[in-house]
Amino acid sequence: KLMLFSGAMDGMNHSVVSEFVFLGLTNSWDIQFLLLVFSLLFYFSSIMGNLVIVFTVTLDAHLHSPMYFLLANLSVIDMVFCSITAPKMICDIFKKHKTISFLGCITQIFFSHAVGATEMVLLIAMAFDRYVAICKPLHYLTIMSPKMCLYFLVTSWIIGVIHSSVQLVFVVDLPFCGPNIFDSFYCDLPRLLRLACTNTQELEFMVTVNSGLISVGSFVVLVISYIFILFTVWKHSPGGLSKALSTLSAHVTVVVLFFGPLMFFYTWPSPTSHLDKYLAIFDAFITPFLNPVIYTFRNKDMKVAMRKLWSRLMHYRKIS
Ligand SMILES: *[C@@H]1O[C@H](CO)[C@@H](O)[C@H](O)[C@H]1NC(C)=O
């Protein structure tokens, strides 16, 4: 009883599918149990780690600088991003019938693309911030002014929302006449297109170009900017190269982990492999968890600020 037909749907007469069914990652009970533990652990650590960053940056005046504001914004984005698919997946793990409504599916796709693209643009802004700090330190505060930060932020959200809306405008009108099975644990665009009862080749091409271009494009821009920063450092003060490398290696790790799976989804020609649904775990659980780890716990100022915040908290608790 996996197919769910529902006669004439009000408002959407072109479509008879009212919900989709997820197959999940596996049927084995043991692996499901492991998956539950693993995803709960990573989900809560991501939320906690990112919350700690947002609170630390907001509450500590020493951290009121462009770099930390961008970092705190990245944390907000990460929390939103991992809340799009993870909670639903966690609730679904032991359900026999994992279903999602049509609207729920579209919502997942909309937010994952909007927030994902926003994160990409924000990562570019963070790379630019590091470029200015390392290569033009004397002009850092004039270039990365509060206005500029806000401008980066607003631009990245606008780009994210436009990127996502452009794709979905075409999708909501597609006819879905029966097939409704996702061999996955969340809704993604390439799989949704394959369920439509019409030729979606052009649309698939559009999605590949749109999502592929934004992910590969941002990746290339980021890699080039890191190489450029390292080259500049090497030319001016070869001694500083190892320090710059250690700063940037954190960024590069995040970028590779975040973009690797995405570029695979949208540019790999044969979508039949199951590899992509396992790779999706990286973006759903691991990257949002790693961002705080990589950007924060290796950063001395951040560690000092967190320790101060912690002792202040303990102090308040003693008083009250
Ligand atoms: C995000 O960035 C803006 C602009 O720099 C800043 O005002 C805001 O406080 C940041 N958000 C967080 C949660 O830190």
Side-chain angles (χ1 to χ4, degrees):
K1 274 252 175 117
L2 283 173
M3 305 285 189
L4 286 149
F5 294 92
S6 68
M9 265 184 60
D10 19 326
M12 273 191 251
N13 49 9
H14 53 270
S15 173
V16 292
V17 170
S18 62
E19 58 183 2
F20 296 99
V21 176
F22 293 139
L23 293 187
L25 284 167
T26 167
N27 284 322
S28 139
W29 195 90
D30 298 342
I31 300 180
Q32 276 172 344
F33 182 75
L34 264 180
L35 214 59
L36 180 72
V37 173
F38 164 90
S39 39
L40 274 177
L41 212 69
F42 272 88
Y43 182 62
F44 281 106
S45 327
S46 308
I47 297 287
M48 289 314 290
N50 285 301
L51 269 181
V52 167
I53 294 186
V54 171
F55 277 116
T56 313
V57 171
T58 312
L59 295 178
D60 194 314
H62 298 288
L63 300 182
H64 288 182
S65 77
M67 181 175 113
Y68 291 106
F69 278 142
L70 293 176
L71 184 65
N73 278 284
L74 185 73
S75 285
V76 172
I77 290 178
D78 269 336
M79 284 189 279
V80 179
F81 192 70
C82 68
S83 300
I84 297 170
T85 53
K88 168 109 182 97
M89 176 200 160
I90 291 171
C91 294
D92 274 354
I93 283 184
F94 287 112
K95 277 194 200 148
K96 259 229 166 70
H97 293 291
K98 314 177 205 301
T99 58
I100 187 168
S101 67
F102 189 84
L103 193 66
C105 187
I106 298 289
T107 310
Q108 268 197 347
I109 294 176
F110 175 78
F111 280 105
S112 53
H113 277 267
V115 177
T118 305
E119 172 149 355
M120 289 179 191
V121 182
L122 197 66
L123 286 172
I124 294 179
M126 291 173 77
F128 179 75
D129 170 80
R130 286 304 82 202
Y131 162 73
V132 178
I134 293 174
C135 301
K136 299 199 181 314
L138 296 180
H139 301 109
Y140 182 61
L141 286 178
T142 39
I143 296 176
M144 292 301 294
S145 61
K147 224 169 104 185
M148 191 66 168
C149 281
L150 203 62
Y151 170 79
F152 271 134
L153 217 66
V154 173
T155 311
S156 53
W157 277 105
I158 290 176
I159 291 179
V161 169
I162 291 179
H163 155 76
S164 189
S165 316
V166 163
Q167 299 186 127
L168 278 184
V169 161
F170 297 100
V171 172
V172 287
D173 270 340
L174 285 176
F176 290 93
C177 57
N180 67 345
I181 312 239
F182 272 88
D183 181 14
S184 181
F185 62 93
Y186 70 108
C187 280
D188 65 350
L189 206 41
R191 283 200 172 84
L192 182 67
L193 290 181
R194 267 174 265 141
L195 295 178
C197 305
T198 177
N199 186 354
T200 56
Q201 222 164 23
E202 278 172 27
L203 216 53
E204 275 170 45
F205 180 71
M206 194 270 287
V207 167
T208 304
V209 169
N210 191 346
S211 294
L213 211 65
I214 196 161
S215 52
V216 176
S218 316
F219 184 74
V220 170
V221 167
L222 283 168
V223 169
I224 291 178
S225 53
Y226 293 139
I227 293 175
F228 188 75
I229 295 174
L230 289 178
F231 183 72
T232 314
V233 172
W234 174 72
K235 225 173 54 186
H236 293 292
S237 60
L241 195 61
S242 70
K243 186 166 177 289
L245 253 169
S246 89
T247 310
L248 293 183
S249 61
H251 286 236
V252 174
T253 312
V254 168
V255 165
V256 168
L257 281 176
F258 181 66
F259 285 92
L262 291 181
M263 291 194 292
F264 182 78
F265 296 152
Y266 291 108
T267 53
W268 200 251
S270 83
T272 46
S273 79
H274 295 287
L275 190 59
D276 61 341
K277 75 175 178 185
Y278 298 104
L279 275 178
I281 295 180
F282 273 93
D283 280 316
F285 290 99
I286 300 182
T287 323
F289 164 79
L290 276 186
N291 275 358
V293 175
I294 287 175
Y295 283 106
T296 313
F297 301 117
R298 296 184 52 214
N299 178 314
K300 211 170 118 232
D301 296 332
M302 197 76 198
K303 276 194 281 200
V304 170
M306 283 192 299
R307 221 169 287 143
K308 264 194 337 216
L309 190 69
W310 181 249
S311 55
R312 242 164 68 191
L313 265 175
M314 291 296 112
H315 184 64
Y316 285 133
R317 225 183 54 178
K318 254 183 259 163
I319 295 173
S320 56

